Amino acid sequence: MLVLFETPAGFALFKVLDEGKLSNVEDLWKEFATSESARKVVKLKAFSKFENTTEALSAATLLIDSKPSKGLRKFLRTHCDGETLAVADSKLGNAIKEKLKIDCLHNNAVMELMRGLRNQLTELISGLATQDLAPMSLGLSHSLSRYKLKFSPDKVDTMIIQAIGLLDDLDKELNTYAMRVREWYGWHFPELAKIVQDNIQYAKAVKLMGNRVNAVDLDFSEVLSEEVEAELKEAAVISMGTEISDLDLVNIKCLCDQVLALSEYRAQLYDYLRSRMNTIAPNLTALVGELVGARLIAHGGSLLNLAKQPGSTVQILGAEKALFRALKTKHATPKYGLIFHASLIGQAAPKLKGKISRSLAAKTALAIRYDALGDSTDSSMGLENRAKLEARLRVLEGRELGRSAGSTKGKPKIEVYDKDRKKGAGALITPAKTYNSSADLLLGQATTPEQALSRKRKHEEVEPEPAKETLDAPVQEGSEKKEKKKKKKNKTETNADDATDEAGEPEKKKKKKKAESSSSELPKQDETSVPENEQEPGTKEKKKKKRRHAEAEEPSANVEEQEAETKSKKKEKKKEKKGE
Amino acid sequence: MAAKEEEPYEEGGGDGMDGGVGVKDGKKVVVVPHRHDGVFIAKGEEYALCTKSMVVGESVYGENLLTVQNEDGTKVEYRVWDPFLSKLAGAIIEDVDDLWIVPGAHVLYLGAASGTTVSHVSDIVGPMGVVYAVELSYWSGSNLVNMAEKRTNVIPIIEDAWHPSKYRMLVGMVDVIFSDIDHPDQVRILAMNASYFLKNEGHFVISIKANHIDSTAPAEQVYYREIKKLYAEQFKPAEKVDLEALEIDHAFIFGGYRMPKKPMRKKRRPVT
């Protein structure tokens, strides 16, 4: 009988020398108490080593599911002829029996045998010492655990933390070296430092010319701009710097090479960081950008750690010194930390930065949690939230504008309510406020003041709805227009009109149509004043009963364009015309 | 070294300071070995249990680190072991007779969770010993794997302890099985694992939380039933340690496995 024993190093096949001993299950353990007696019971017949950790990992994972791996099957086929095989797992035994037609055995005696084998493993398998087995076991267990936990090397945030640390280091080094170049070369050509401001250009220029006397003959066009080049050439002739030897120049040039290489590497590193950030935390990058996102992660220690922080912490991450100082001395705490460098905060007006910082931090915390713990790999959530934040910023700006505009027009300034302040005529100080529907904000639409005017109008309008409709169609689903007036207008159509009108929308309107004069004079001011009325109608809700011809095209067309975005809520218009 | 050190004790319950233990680095602290090998007592203003840190400078779960200078000038670092966070420390404080987890031991730890107690067990068994830590959940398991990356004597196994055959490839024969799985069938699980991996005359440590086994019966009855189950599975409970002061209705049972039958000299009372 053969025994299959799995080790982290490979598969072992033992031959049972004395099957009689197996019948005495109770005392079987005695046989394995020492290595000599163990060797009398079993002998190693064959050992199949795992070539590398990947092979070991795949074999182990299959074994967990009680499936024999290809290597195991081959091993068994070669060595296990006509004998029964004792296995530790009955399901595995069944699988082997099916696939390889080898009879398998699993019972108490087998389990005892396994115990004994496990005890004496290192003795029985020559060439496998305890100290070899331990690290193999460790390596295999770590690989298995990583496999189980679905560890993906793409989602390692350590790379980000190291990359951003390196980026900062590189910047410092680059600056130090560039300053050194300037100082060193300044001994020979001091004026160059003032002429060429940029570090990289300076290094390239120095590399190109070496000794300043060469400057006059050389062409600096790829390195410097024309005026700078001209200045340089001028200054090179009348420079007050001393001469230096070629050996010194060689060394200075080496340093310039270093500077240029470093700056190239920095650019590469920055690209790498951006691509990694987009893979690891796409929603975070969509909201705040790659650099700020990377700094947040580095500050928090890991993406997971950062995900545990509330939004209020994310807001002031990076300003801890100011925060605790303010808390101790009972002053105002800082409003923003690292998040200050996000583009959304840069866009906001100084007064609004605090508010936006708070909203941004809240959404950022959500995005971080989504990236750290969620499953998706796209940045849709981050982009949505960013759009919401931008809309909020617009609203805040609008309010600000409104507030400041109000006072300059001469209306009394609305004062801050203070319950303890005694007021005179209390409620009569401010004028009565009515609901201003133009303050409603729906995503995708802008507000226009003309809408307010369109409320109660009873004019006829002539409009080339169709034109408007084409423009307004998406906007106007909800609007209903009822026409109350009965006026007919004839409209003359222009081809242009028709073309625009017939943009292909089915118009349904309720109309009481009248022939409309096509002259534009009559409806002219109407149109300007009642543009919306006309225009809206374009919607499908209107049923068209009669067709009208023509509409004043130019005015209406113009008006329509202006009104393209308005939406009307009510319509008193009675007829719509549609050009044919 | 005295045969038995004076009993270490914590400053009562409600010690809710950071780390739960009042001994901090910087104050004058003397560290003496505990009766159990591998465990130490730090005597400062208050007494604290600690283990010698295998990975210097790392605080695994936020515990305090003490650095002490030896006579020959070398620095040794100890990690404070909080009995309120770790039940095994609680058992030591409740003065268990034999703690089978000693330096050089091979330990199979079932129910490793995030690895707080496992790290201390790993400190005790030292570089010559091995701790096979089995934990099923992914969240705790990933913390465990992170902890194991720093400690080479901890082998993390993310598997269900119900099926020891699934990790038979990774585990050798062990000297002690420590079981901290709160499951009504935990004796069964322990027995299965022992039949695979626990050597003859090995030992076991099992933590019983009475509520988890049977929330209706009184604690003593639950303990009695579990002990009977242990006897049935070739285990020989030797000692029961009640963690009364530290956790309600919690007890540890220490004992042996497949112990050789001693000749009957006098009738001994079974453990209750």
Side-chain angles (χ1 to χ4, degrees):
Chain A
M1 182 159 79
L2 297 172
V3 187
L4 173 65
F5 193 82
E6 305 91 350
T7 71
F11 294 116
L13 211 57
F14 290 94
K15 177 143 180 57
V16 180
L17 300 167
D18 191 347
E19 308 218 358
K21 297 244 166 75
L22 287 180
S23 46
N24 190 1
V25 183
E26 295 290 320
D27 293 328
L28 197 51
W29 64 275
K30 283 197 204 121
E31 308 293 334
F32 287 95
T34 63
S35 52
E36 286 79 39
S37 47
R39 288 210 188 95
K40 294 208 194 92
V41 184
V42 292
K43 193 178 81 149
L44 177 67
K45 182 165 182 208
F47 186 74
S48 150
K49 210 161 101 101
F50 294 131
E51 297 297 320
N52 48 28
T53 34
T54 9
E55 198 196 324
L57 178 63
S58 59
T61 42
L62 286 169
L63 229 68
I64 290 180
D65 293 328
S66 304
K67 294 195 191 92
S69 64
K70 209 147 64 140
L72 179 60
R73 291 206 296 267
K74 211 158 91 168
F75 179 60
L76 289 176
R77 218 174 278 140
T78 342
H79 296 280
C80 195
D81 273 325
E83 305 232 19
T84 21
L85 184 66
V87 286
D89 182 11
S90 48
K91 271 203 246 171
L92 179 67
N94 288 341
I96 292 179
K97 186 164 183 162
E98 260 184 62
K99 297 224 166 102
L100 302 170
K101 312 282 179 258
I102 302 174
D103 276 331
C104 289
L105 189 60
H106 176 74
N107 57 24
N108 273 347
V110 172
M111 295 308 293
E112 284 299 316
L113 199 53
M114 293 286 180
R115 279 176 64 90
L117 280 173
R118 204 180 291 276
N119 232 337
Q120 297 293 344
L121 194 60
T122 48
E123 299 295 325
L124 293 169
I125 304 183
S126 52
L128 195 67
T130 334
Q131 50 265 36
D132 295 333
L133 212 50
M136 277 193 230
S137 179
L138 190 62
L140 183 57
S141 79
H142 274 278
S143 321
L144 256 179
S145 318
R146 272 186 227 126
Y147 168 78
K148 277 235 137 184
L149 297 173
K150 293 185 187 50
F151 173 84
S152 148
D154 288 339
K155 287 227 152 203
V156 178
D157 51 8
T158 334
M159 306 292 144
I160 302 270
I161 300 173
Q162 301 293 346
I164 194 106
L166 181 58
L167 203 66
D168 289 335
D169 283 342
L170 271 184
D171 280 336
K172 246 197 291 188
E173 284 301 308
L174 206 51
N175 198 33
T176 313
Y177 285 6
M179 288 294 127
R180 176 74 58 197
V181 172
R182 278 172 190 266
E183 226 188 293
W184 200 352
Y185 196 69
W187 183 246
H188 175 62
F189 188 178
E191 292 81 4
L192 188 60
K194 290 193 205 72
I195 296 172
V196 185
Q197 297 296 346
D198 181 46
N199 288 332
I200 309 300
Q201 284 183 348
Y202 191 96
K204 282 192 187 153
V206 169
K207 210 169 141 180
L208 195 50
M209 66 174 154
N211 203 316
R212 65 168 186 269
V213 300
N214 305 332
V216 200
D217 314 316
L218 290 169
D219 176 27
F220 286 91
S221 50
E222 342 42 82
V223 181
L224 304 168
S225 61
E226 299 244 334
E227 322 85 60
V228 180
E229 194 182 334
E231 272 186 57
L232 189 160
K233 292 195 168 156
E234 242 180 88
V237 181
I238 51 169
S239 172
M240 63 173 179
T242 56
E243 295 299 320
I244 51 174
S245 72
D246 283 332
L247 182 59
D248 302 330
L249 273 174
V250 165
N251 278 308
I252 296 182
K253 278 197 189 165
C254 276
L255 182 56
C256 291
D257 284 337
Q258 281 289 352
V259 169
L260 293 171
L262 266 184
S263 80
E264 242 189 77
Y265 178 56
R266 191 212 178 271
Q268 242 187 333
L269 185 66
Y270 186 59
D271 278 331
Y272 164 74
L273 180 66
R274 289 174 61 182
S275 77
R276 286 258 116 238
M277 273 302 287
N278 275 311
T279 321
I280 292 180
N283 293 289
L284 179 59
T285 37
L287 262 182
V288 292
E290 289 95 0
L291 259 190
V292 177
R295 282 195 201 281
L296 282 173
I297 296 179
H299 196 282
S302 82
L303 190 56
L304 208 54
N305 255 351
L306 197 60
K308 294 182 192 168
Q309 312 287 13
S312 52
T313 303
V314 174
Q315 185 177 358
I316 42 105
L317 263 185
E320 282 87 1
K321 188 155 154 239
L323 174 72
F324 289 116
R325 185 181 62 212
L327 285 174
K328 271 194 214 146
T329 57
K330 308 223 171 141
H331 279 101
T333 52
K335 296 190 284 294
Y336 19 62
L338 284 170
I339 226 167
F340 185 70
H341 301 104
S343 54
L344 266 176
I345 311 239
Q347 285 171 23
K351 282 204 175 159
L352 299 174
K353 282 202 208 288
K355 288 196 180 178
I356 289 296
S357 153
R358 190 178 62 240
S359 319
L360 179 63
K363 294 297 181 195
T364 308
L366 286 178
I368 292 171
R369 283 171 210 162
Y370 193 70
D371 283 329
L373 305 161
D375 275 335
S376 89
T377 45
D378 65 348
S379 58
S380 52
M381 183 249 187
L383 291 168
E384 266 180 57
N385 279 329
R386 197 192 170 101
K388 282 193 207 160
L389 282 171
E390 281 171 352
R392 174 169 155 78
L393 186 56
R394 304 282 154 264
V395 172
L396 282 175
E397 279 170 4
R399 271 200 219 132
E400 279 286 312
L401 225 50
R403 201 170 294 156
S404 58
S407 28
T408 53
K409 275 193 193 150
K411 285 195 207 145
K413 183 160 187 277
I414 294 150
E415 283 158 350
V416 174
Y417 178 67
D418 188 353
K419 69 173 168 56
D420 296 324
R421 232 171 43 137
K422 304 292 177 217
K423 288 192 202 150
L428 299 179
I429 284 180
T430 58
K433 298 186 81 156
T434 55
Y435 176 62
N436 183 12
S437 64
S438 64
D440 288 344
L441 182 67
L442 294 177
L443 279 175
Q445 294 163 15
T447 63
T448 53
E450 286 117 345
Q451 282 180 1
L453 300 172
S454 70
R455 286 288 142 131
K456 312 190 180 226
R457 299 233 129 200
K458 322 235 175 208
H459 299 266
E460 70 250 32
E461 317 54 57
V462 248
E463 261 359 287
E465 273 90 21
K468 306 177 279 189
E469 277 145 36
T470 35
L471 298 169
D472 293 344
V475 172
Q476 303 186 348
E477 285 94 61
S479 57
E480 290 167 34
K481 305 166 187 215
K482 292 185 194 157
E483 292 182 36
K484 296 175 188 163
K485 301 212 172 146
K486 319 193 182 246
K487 260 203 213 170
K488 282 195 182 183
K489 292 186 185 178
N490 294 326
K491 298 181 183 183
T492 47
E493 330 164 347
T494 47
N495 298 339
D497 249 357
D498 294 345
T500 48
D501 288 354
E502 300 312 320
E505 43 176 45
E507 230 175 70
K508 297 188 252 175
K509 313 173 190 186
K510 280 187 195 149
K511 305 188 202 182
K512 297 150 190 184
K513 296 196 182 188
K514 298 182 197 171
E516 209 174 15
S517 60
S518 57
S519 62
S520 10
E521 331 82 4
L522 171 54
K524 214 180 211 125
Q525 66 257 48
D526 285 346
E527 278 150 35
T528 41
S529 56
V530 195
E532 309 86 274
N533 303 350
E534 268 77 5
Q535 320 233 329
E536 306 23 277
T539 57
K540 313 180 168 112
E541 288 103 359
K542 302 219 175 110
K543 277 211 205 135
K544 207 169 158 182
K545 292 188 183 151
K546 293 184 206 170
R547 287 202 136 199
R548 286 294 146 188
H549 308 282
E551 325 180 286
E553 50 296 0
E554 298 93 14
S556 27
N558 292 344
V559 171
E560 278 155 30
E561 271 127 39
Q562 295 160 17
E563 302 310 329
E565 293 164 276
T566 61
K567 51 176 214 160
S568 63
K569 316 222 169 55
K570 247 173 25 170
K571 212 146 183 85
E572 297 85 12
K573 199 159 131 140
K574 31 188 201 179
K575 52 191 147 100
E576 320 265 5
K577 269 78 174 227
K578 183 179 178 172
E580 296 144 10
Chain B
M1 187 159 71
K4 186 163 178 156
E5 289 292 341
E6 51 186 278
E7 247 161 78
Y9 65 93
E10 277 303 320
E11 295 276 299
D15 192 1
M17 294 191 261
D18 29 8
V21 177
V23 187
K24 291 210 199 1
D25 204 5
K27 313 249 165 110
K28 194 81 177 67
V29 153
V30 176
V31 176
V32 294
H34 192 276
R35 173 169 64 92
H36 298 306
D37 247 343
V39 187
F40 300 87
I41 308 169
K43 298 186 183 178
E45 298 171 340
E46 294 146 358
Y47 286 13
L49 211 57
C50 52
T51 57
K52 194 149 136 187
S53 180
M54 248 194 75
V55 181
V56 176
E58 285 269 334
S59 178
V60 174
Y61 55 95
E63 76 278 15
N64 284 329
L65 303 171
L66 307 168
T67 323
V68 173
Q69 211 162 27
N70 269 346
E71 297 89 36
D72 51 0
T74 53
K75 286 198 179 234
V76 187
E77 192 183 78
Y78 296 93
R79 290 168 52 229
V80 173
W81 200 358
D82 186 357
F84 288 100
L85 291 178
S86 171
K87 292 190 280 231
L88 189 56
I92 295 176
I93 289 207
E94 295 286 337
D95 206 19
V96 60
D97 283 335
D98 289 301
L99 177 81
W100 302 106
I101 300 176
V102 291
H106 291 232
V107 181
L108 173 64
Y109 195 120
L110 304 173
S114 297
T116 47
T117 309
V118 175
S119 66
H120 286 287
V121 173
S122 139
D123 281 349
I124 296 179
V125 300
M128 297 310 295
V130 185
V131 183
Y132 301 93
V134 177
E135 168 58 39
L136 179 57
S137 96
Y138 282 10
W139 184 255
S140 307
S142 55
N143 286 340
L144 182 67
V145 172
N146 283 340
M147 191 266 295
E149 267 169 25
K150 309 255 174 55
R151 284 158 189 274
T152 47
N153 63 356
V154 176
I155 297 191
I157 303 172
I158 315 288
E159 278 299 341
D160 191 351
W162 262 110
H163 302 113
S165 63
K166 294 202 173 177
Y167 43 92
R168 67 182 187 275
M169 247 177 108
L170 299 167
V171 186
M173 275 322 234
V174 294
D175 305 317
V176 190
I177 296 191
F178 183 101
S179 165
D180 193 4
I181 312 176
D182 282 329
H183 196 280
D185 276 327
Q186 56 183 344
V187 175
R188 184 98 192 76
I189 299 175
L190 182 64
M192 281 198 292
N193 279 280
S195 72
Y196 268 86
F197 305 121
L198 186 55
K199 71 172 192 202
N200 279 28
E201 299 180 41
H203 294 126
F204 70 92
V205 183
I206 184 169
S207 145
I208 303 185
K209 188 172 158 102
N211 271 348
H212 281 199
I213 311 278
D214 185 352
S215 50
T216 55
E220 284 304 321
Q221 193 178 23
V222 174
Y223 299 149
Y224 179 68
R225 274 194 248 148
E226 295 300 304
I227 291 171
K228 284 195 57 175
K229 283 193 219 168
L230 284 169
Y231 272 117
E233 298 274 2
Q234 293 189 314
F235 289 107
K236 216 169 196 160
E239 197 183 343
K240 174 172 136 243
V241 179
D242 215 324
L243 297 180
E244 225 15 68
L246 297 162
E247 320 239 0
I248 328 170
D249 289 343
H250 244 107
F252 265 94
I253 303 203
F254 294 75
Y257 180 64
R258 296 200 188 183
M259 303 305 268
K261 291 193 173 44
K262 295 208 177 82
M264 290 262 283
R265 258 177 292 169
K266 69 172 194 194
K267 198 154 188 217
R268 283 174 294 150
R269 270 193 331 169
V271 180
T272 45

